Amino acid sequence: MKLSQNDTLLFIGDSITDCGRVRPVGEGGFGQLGSGYVAQVDALLSAVYPQLNIRVLNTGIGGNTVRHLKERWESDVLDLKPDWLSIMIGTNDVWRQFDHPLNPDQHVYLDEYETTLRELVQTTRPKLKGLVLMTPYYLDPNVNDPMRATMDVYGAVVKKVAEEFDAIFVDTQAAFDALSEHVYLSSLATNWDRVHPGSRGHMTLAREFLKAVGFSW
């Protein structure tokens, strides 16, 4: 297990991370961390490793892109002084290019995405014990689907940045693709939007995160 006694673990991202968490910072009691993978990670850590007393925080905000993360990085990451940080961002950076194609002001193209993610990681990595970078994903096994193909390119950037800065890389798309051998992937999403996961999808994200940090059942 890579996390240590009394570590603070912070999750930041978009609506997939947010999941209705409380403001300004989700932490602790029932519903405070939201209803998604962050709450599941917290429950499993506290149930299996109660002796470690790990503090879990959630500062995800629905609709965010990496551009939004940069704007709030100091207050929602640096000021909270986490020991471990998990970043999952990129879904909206890609999605806005498809659902709002005529509004380029909302689009975060690949160059800006990579530059901004690298800047945030470079600034923060020396202050952390550990960093986890999770890819964005699209719940469609068809790699030729335009949005899926674009999401894969952004995921490759996450992998590259993780390798550059000694971060733990979590390939969420690969985890969902493995499930596609047994289930129709869109059925894992709420409203069949192929982006927002239901309980099974969130447990997949929680499982992949925990596997990456050495969680042992």
Side-chain angles (χ1 to χ4, degrees):
M1 177 66 167
K2 300 180 187 300
L3 279 71
S4 304
Q5 184 84 29
N6 297 322
D7 276 350
T8 295
L9 166 61
L10 171 63
F11 291 86
I12 193 168
D14 51 36
S15 58
I16 301 165
T17 300
D18 182 341
C19 273
R21 57 94 178 174
V22 301
R23 301 306 196 256
V25 180
E27 176 182 7
F30 183 76
Q32 304 296 297
L33 286 165
S35 59
Y37 76 96
V38 177
Q40 293 172 343
V41 167
D42 177 65
L44 287 165
L45 286 174
S46 60
V48 180
Y49 293 93
Q51 73 279 9
L52 293 184
N53 196 34
I54 295 168
R55 181 188 184 197
V56 177
L57 308 178
N58 185 352
T59 58
I61 294 182
N64 267 199
T65 65
V66 74
R67 189 183 294 165
H68 296 108
L69 260 58
K70 181 178 180 179
E71 292 171 354
R72 61 189 183 91
W73 198 252
E74 184 168 356
S75 62
D76 286 3
V77 175
L78 299 180
D79 288 353
L80 297 174
K81 297 180 171 58
D83 300 294
W84 281 79
L85 173 65
S86 176
I87 307 171
M88 184 166 66
I89 198 70
T91 297
N92 294 305
D93 307 65
V94 174
W95 201 4
R96 293 297 85 85
Q97 299 172 45
F98 291 87
D99 69 347
H100 290 79
L102 302 182
N103 191 350
D105 289 344
Q106 295 188 37
H107 304 171
V108 179
Y109 297 112
L110 190 64
D111 286 349
E112 181 185 356
Y113 178 77
E114 180 171 349
T115 299
T116 307
L117 182 62
R118 180 177 286 107
E119 177 186 334
L120 296 177
V121 168
Q122 187 172 27
T123 300
T124 313
R125 185 66 183 93
K127 307 175 190 298
L128 301 169
K129 289 183 180 179
L131 173 66
V132 179
L133 296 182
M134 303 175 69
T135 65
Y137 62 83
Y138 193 51
L139 295 173
D140 191 325
N142 178 12
V143 296
N144 295 315
D145 176 275
M147 187 164 160
R148 164 64 197 265
T150 307
M151 205 73 76
D152 286 346
V153 172
Y154 280 59
V157 165
V158 175
K159 182 177 183 180
K160 179 165 67 171
V161 173
E163 291 172 348
E164 289 178 16
F165 292 96
D166 189 32
I168 296 172
F169 173 68
V170 177
D171 191 341
T172 65
Q173 186 67 65
F176 285 122
D177 286 346
L179 287 180
S180 72
E181 299 179 13
H182 309 284
V183 300
Y184 186 58
L185 277 189
S186 292
S187 70
L188 300 180
T190 58
N191 301 318
W192 296 75
D193 65 5
R194 293 183 283 183
V195 168
H196 294 99
S199 58
R200 289 183 297 166
H202 275 290
M203 185 55 74
T204 300
L205 295 172
R207 180 194 65 187
E208 292 306 305
F209 174 87
L210 290 169
K211 283 168 55 180
V213 298
F215 184 95
S216 175
W217 297 89

